[in-house]
Amino acid sequence: MRARLLPLILIPLLMAGCATVSTTPAVTPAEQAAGALLDNGKYREAAQAYLQIANEPRSAVRDRALVHAAEAFERAGDGAAARQTLAQSNRRKLVGEDAFNHDLLNAQFLIEDGRGRDALALLGQNPGSVPDAIRWHSLRARAFTAAGQPFDVAIETAALLQPNAPAKERAANARNVERLLAGVDNGTLSARSAALAGNDPLYPFAARELAKRGLPLPHPLDRSAQVRTQAFPPADSDGYRPPLQLAVLLPSTGSLAGAGAGVRDGILAAYYAETRRRPNIKFYDTNGTAAGAQSAAAQANADGAQLILGPLSRDEINAVFAQNVSGAPIIALNRGVSAPPPGSISFALSPDDEGLFAADRLANRGQLKVLVFTQRDDGGQRALAAFREQLRARGGDVVGEVVVDDGIVDVGPLLAAQTGAGHTAPTAVLLVLKAPQARLVAAQLKVSPFSVLPRVSTSLILNGANARQDVELDGIEFPELPWLLDRRPDLIDADALAAELGTARGPSQRLFAFGMDAWKLAAYLDRLGTDPGYTLRGATGDLRLDSFGIIQRDPSWAVFSGGRPRAAPDGGLQTNAASATR
């Protein structure tokens, strides 16, 4: 059977005693045509086509066609029709893939009804026989969530951390594993961790949580693949252990030269502020191109670099990682399409991460029904996509989306369209907008039915900031760099640097902070890789290394007050009413 017929639930699992795939009836031309509709996103048309096949007299594939029709209805967002259609299919007449497809869709409906334990009875296949592991583990994670078993949810989520999965998915799943384990009590954490094999994808996360709590590890953690610092000089007592020769790959020419300058100056500022032994440092121009990055990496290795910082763009990183040259470990300053090779890591300031931060901020406070205001901006759309996925993973959803284009001055009609029959009442608002559009929306929210809802944003809201006009934004929270909120007194003062260096103020200020943290990662790479409980307090946030070589970052949170960002209080999200009385 063609795999495209049910891309979301097609999991041809073979359980002991079950019929083999070869017993499944051949796909008919009519099913192929219906499958083509499904492939092209014409879900309702596909559902009707499958229903027509099922209703043909003496149809040999009636029950299978009903399963496909149910899936098409579900993808069209018509859950009621999907359930009704699946109920008409006789599970006992299905074999092979068709039987499993029926079980998986039925399990999904049980999960939606909060019957996680019943759903698990349909998801007990041998994981080694599951070709589409992502869908299967995802359903099991949802079932365990509904059953209230967080450690088992963490097991299934960790199983999704495949090296070839998209970088943003790996980052989100890793954060969710950490969050889930943080909610497990000491006894359960210790006992269940002891039952994990050393090569289980969950074990590095469990070991980190155990180390954070001061609990013993049941067996050693193998981090040898993550760290290649054996040739570095001995570490200081705090873990400071930079290499002897450090190469930095950044664009000093080409279209990315401005971004490269901000990162470069941040690296140098932190480098010269260090009073202990520093490595010899050499910069290499990548010209912002894949070929330039490959050439620079090859030259750095030929020059004897023990560690490489950079390159900066995704294309450059993909090219360098694909070069497969045995050389110095790399701290890539962005994320590529795949996980870093063993011994290297990646560090990024990503719009996708900002979506994750915002979703977790709201979910942690039980604000799970969110009205979103957004604009057609690439970074904003990436943040929104990540926000939506993470909020759904936390049990919430986006209940409305309002697009605010540059020419819009009155969002009243758009707000009115989000109220009334058929609309779920939101419990919070997310603004994925630049400052001018955010001010427009914030002012009109005050006289809308949503005036008292908590409001969060991404840091996109700082684009176009104006302290005098931004009083309209008072009460809105957003993820911010702790360095800019005076929460890192051990670092060079941000205002003092801004007075001296153009790259330390304005649009490049965040890249400057990013460069400062890049140097700290180079200096503490060894401890990050060998101490599972270690967190590096950086200019951009609290940094830690996950088991896939990705630096996970936790930012600080700011709130607009008097038109300026201030450190947000720990006591929860601000509302318009609260900000009015401050």
Side-chain angles (χ1 to χ4, degrees), residues 131 133-134 159-170 336-340 548:
I134 292 177
L160 297 172
L161 289 165
Q162 303 298 320
N164 59 349
K168 66 178 184 178
E169 292 183 9
R170 291 196 309 274
V337 295
S338 58
F548 282 83

Side-chain angles (χ1 to χ4, degrees), residues 297-361:
Q299 187 60 54
N301 281 308
D303 291 344
Q306 290 182 317
L307 180 64
I308 293 174
L309 276 181
L312 191 58
S313 73
R314 288 186 173 186
D315 289 343
E316 292 174 296
I317 290 166
N318 293 336
V320 170
F321 282 172
Q323 199 170 15
N324 198 26
V325 175
S326 178
I330 298 171
I331 301 178
L333 300 180
N334 208 324
R335 292 185 188 142
V337 295
S338 58
S344 294
I345 68 175
S346 71
F347 173 46
L349 294 182
S350 168
D352 307 286
D353 287 348
E354 297 231 337
L356 301 180
F357 301 152
D360 283 338
R361 184 75 165 173

Side-chain angles (χ1 to χ4, degrees), residues 459-479:
S459 64
L460 183 65
I461 201 170
L462 297 173
N463 191 329
N466 181 300
R468 181 178 59 82
Q469 299 177 10
D470 286 348
V471 291
E472 292 289 359
L473 305 180
D474 280 4
I476 297 176
E477 291 193 341
F478 63 95

Side-chain angles (χ1 to χ4, degrees), residues 556-569:
S556 293
W557 278 83
V559 61
F560 277 100
S561 177
R564 296 182 181 277
R566 317 286 185 186

Side-chain angles (χ1 to χ4, degrees), residues 34-170:
L37 292 171
L38 196 65
D39 282 349
N40 292 323
K42 299 179 179 179
Y43 303 132
R44 290 198 175 276
E45 293 93 328
Q48 294 302 325
Y50 280 123
L51 286 177
Q52 184 175 349
I53 295 169
N55 292 328
E56 291 176 356
R58 296 186 297 278
S59 172
V61 293
R62 175 184 183 275
D63 296 287
R64 178 170 74 193
L66 287 171
V67 174
H68 294 340
E71 165 64 8
F73 276 128
E74 194 276 333
R75 295 183 68 187
D78 192 341
R83 290 171 182 247
Q84 182 180 16
T85 303
L86 187 68
Q88 298 175 45
S89 178
N90 189 336
R91 168 65 173 79
R92 290 176 296 178
K93 293 185 178 180
L94 296 170
V95 294
E97 298 174 8
D98 301 331
F100 285 114
N101 293 337
H102 185 285
D103 288 346
L104 292 169
L105 192 53
N106 194 29
Q108 179 174 326
F109 295 149
L110 289 170
I111 292 167
E112 292 171 356
D113 293 340
R115 298 171 59 189
R117 297 187 187 280
D118 294 333
L120 288 168
L122 300 174
L123 299 169
Q125 296 83 6
N126 181 351
S129 66
V130 182
D132 188 356
I134 292 177
R135 176 61 178 169
W136 187 74
H137 284 297
S138 296
L139 278 174
R140 283 176 59 84
R142 292 177 58 192
F144 280 122
T145 299
Q149 298 175 229
F151 196 92
D152 293 289
V153 181
I155 290 175
E156 302 302 329
T157 306
L160 297 172
L161 289 165
Q162 303 298 320
N164 59 349
K168 66 178 184 178
E169 292 183 9
R170 291 196 309 274

